[in-house]
Each structure stands twice: as structure tokens, then as C-alpha cells.
Amino acid sequence: MRNKMKKWLLYLLIVINISSFSQTSEDSAALANEFAKVMSFATQSYLYCTTATKMNSIPFLEAQDTLSYNGIFYKNLSDLYYNNGREEFYLQDSLMIQVNHERKSIWISKVDDVSKDKMNFLPVNNGGMQELFQKKYSITKIKVNSNTSRFELVAERNINNSATVNSTIWLDYSTKKHLPVRMEIAVRMKQPFTEELSALLRSEGIEESKLVQTIDEVKYLVRAQSICVAFIEIDNTPRGAGKMPSWKDTLDYNAAEKEFTPKGINKDYEVIKIF
């Protein structure tokens, strides 16, 4: 969607994160602990992980509303690497290097150890997730089959007696290995349709009929978005993490002149050094 509509959607997502209800029973705390155990693969010292991601929006408004891509992620102690086909990211040798294949550009900056610790490129790699889910989502678990179990986390909230946000997270995981298999996040937002929203849609060139629904004789702006991540391979061994690509495969460095030069398939890329 265009920028203004994106800001509106982002606002609703932020609101649900700060105003969801709490669930504090002992059973839910135990489930939250188990959920954290499954997702702890992302916080290990060594990690090789491949994923397949699909993003979808209903209704479909523009090409960016639906995306599919494969990702690969490495973590080797404090070094990181991520690639989703369109972009590559290196965090190595106190350098942060971002390669954008669509724009044919390479951005290079310095990064310190404190900044490294705050960086998070896997959405599941977050020490606060356990507390977030325990306090802001109701959580249940079911057995899918003999090998797979599923967590379901649900948050539903009315905002200012007008907008409503429903958020659901499903996580399928291996019961024996306690590793994730598939995660899906779905968010549905509903807000009474006003003249202000109508003017916003018109200014962005968006047809009202694609977003507006009549529910109990009241017009609402309704939007649903989802992201599904399939975890194809997870390896927490030093051997798996040791296969991480190096930024030196992408760039040559002249120490005397302190200059970086692209090479290989990226040899015609623009290099932008910001230190």
C-alpha cells in the first residue's frame, strides 16, 4: 500500500502491542516457557537457518501486498549474515554491509559491540517474546500428530470503542526436537469508515469498494494481512554456522587507501561508505 495507508496500518499494529489483555495463569506461564524453549534456537551462539516466507494482504491493492521469498540466516558467535534474494546483510569485522541487488548498491558502515547485541534479523530472536506472549496473548496448545504440536496465541482488542484488531499466531513445532516447523501471523483490522478515511483513500488513488465492508448496516474499513514462515532447515552446530559467507567475497579492501571495491557478480555496484 502507499505510505499514508501503511502508516495507518502500522498505527493499529502498534496499538495492539501496547493494549492487549493479559493472561497470567500458571498453565499459560508453563506454555509460554515451552514456547520460549522452541524459539530458543534463534538465540544460540551458532545457527544456520533456511526459511520460505509468504506475505499476503486482503484485499490485494498492489504488487507489494503479496510476496514470496526464501531466506538464509547464519550466526557464528557475534558474526551474522542474512540473504533473502533481493538483499544481503553482513555483520562481520566490526562492519555492517548491506547489499541491495535491486538498486545495485552496497552500503558500508561501522558497528560496535553494543549495537551488535541490539540487532535482530530473525523476528523470533527476541528475549522479550516470552513476556510479550504471556502478558498480551491467550495461549493454547494442541497435538497435530505424533510428531508435531501447535501453539495458538490470540489477542483481540477494541481500541477507543471504534477500531478493532484481532491478531493470531500459530506455531507448529517438532514435539521431539522442540524446533519450529512453521509460523503464521495473521492480523485483521476493522475501523468505522469516516469522511477522513474516505478522503485519504481518494488521495492515494485507492478504490473504497476494495476496503470498505458494511457490517450490521455500518460501514467499516477492513484490512487483513498475514505472514507465513516455513523453517526448512535449522542447524545449531559450529559446523553449520562455519559455512557463513564472508563480505570479502563481495568486496576487496585496500588498507592503504581505506577503500572498498566491489567484485565478482557485484563488480558494477555503487559502493557507499558512511564512516
Side-chain angles (χ1 to χ4, degrees):
M1 296 183 66
R2 294 169 175 84
N3 288 336
K4 290 182 180 179
M5 286 301 296
K6 285 182 178 178
K7 289 180 181 178
W8 177 78
L9 293 172
L10 179 60
Y11 164 75
L12 288 181
L13 289 172
I14 291 172
V15 169
I16 192 172
N17 278 333
I18 64 175
S19 61
S20 298
F21 58 85
S22 299
Q23 183 191 30
T24 58
S25 70
E26 292 183 5
D27 287 344
S28 66
L31 290 178
N33 287 333
E34 188 174 355
F35 185 97
K37 181 179 179 180
V38 173
M39 305 315 293
S40 67
F41 81 96
T43 64
Q44 305 302 308
S45 297
Y46 304 100
L47 174 62
Y48 164 71
C49 178
T50 59
T51 60
T53 300
K54 292 184 178 180
M55 301 174 65
N56 190 37
S57 297
I58 300 174
F60 175 88
L61 297 178
E62 59 182 3
Q64 289 84 350
D65 287 343
T66 178
L67 294 173
S68 297
Y69 58 89
N70 295 326
I72 182 169
F73 181 88
Y74 287 90
K75 179 184 179 184
N76 191 345
L77 299 177
S78 62
D79 289 347
L80 302 175
Y81 171 82
Y82 176 71
N83 186 338
N84 65 11
R86 296 185 303 275
E87 294 180 303
E88 290 181 81
F89 182 95
Y90 301 84
L91 187 61
Q92 301 167 359
D93 299 328
S94 297
L95 295 172
M96 183 168 64
I97 299 173
Q98 297 168 280
V99 182
N100 189 309
H101 295 294
E102 293 180 339
R103 298 179 181 177
K104 292 191 174 183
S105 64
I106 302 174
W107 287 73
I108 308 170
S109 59
K110 287 280 191 179
V111 63
D112 56 32
D113 290 337
V114 174
S115 299
K116 276 187 178 183
D117 292 338
K118 294 180 180 179
M119 290 184 179
N120 171 27
F121 299 97
L122 279 178
V124 297
N125 185 3
N126 186 333
M129 284 189 71
Q130 178 180 350
E131 181 181 359
L132 171 68
F133 291 147
Q134 182 178 345
K135 289 185 176 181
K136 299 187 177 182
Y137 287 80
S138 63
I139 180 171
T140 57
K141 186 179 100 169
I142 64 171
K143 182 178 180 180
V144 178
N145 54 47
S146 59
N147 299 315
T148 307
S149 295
R150 175 179 297 155
F151 287 112
E152 181 179 83
L153 301 99
V154 179
E156 183 173 351
R157 187 70 175 179
N158 293 323
I159 304 167
N160 298 327
N161 296 317
S162 57
T164 302
V165 179
N166 299 291
S167 177
T168 306
I169 300 171
W170 297 272
L171 173 67
D172 290 2
Y173 68 98
S174 165
T175 307
K176 292 181 180 179
K177 295 182 178 180
H178 269 76
L179 288 175
V181 175
R182 178 180 178 274
M183 174 181 276
E184 182 175 358
I185 302 172
V187 178
R188 183 178 184 270
M189 294 153 282
K190 185 182 76 171
Q191 181 172 358
F193 190 64
T194 63
E195 284 299 322
E196 182 181 2
L197 284 175
S198 178
L200 176 59
L201 292 181
R202 289 195 302 270
S203 69
E204 296 294 325
I206 299 173
E207 296 179 24
E208 288 186 9
S209 59
K210 291 185 176 182
L211 285 168
V212 178
Q213 297 181 19
T214 300
I215 303 173
D216 295 330
E217 299 183 352
V218 177
K219 285 187 175 181
Y220 291 92
L221 190 150
V222 180
R223 181 71 163 162
Q225 297 180 304
S226 66
I227 179 170
C228 180
V229 181
F231 297 90
I232 300 170
E233 185 176 1
I234 297 174
D235 184 348
N236 281 121
T237 68
R239 181 178 179 181
K243 298 177 183 179
M244 176 190 296
S246 168
W247 66 266
K248 295 177 182 178
D249 299 327
T250 298
L251 294 162
D252 282 325
Y253 178 62
N254 185 319
E257 298 182 5
K258 297 183 179 180
E259 291 294 334
F260 295 87
T261 305
K263 66 180 183 179
I265 62 173
N266 304 321
K267 63 182 180 181
D268 60 341
Y269 282 30
E270 179 186 14
V271 175
I272 304 163
K273 188 177 72 169
I274 55 176
F275 65 91

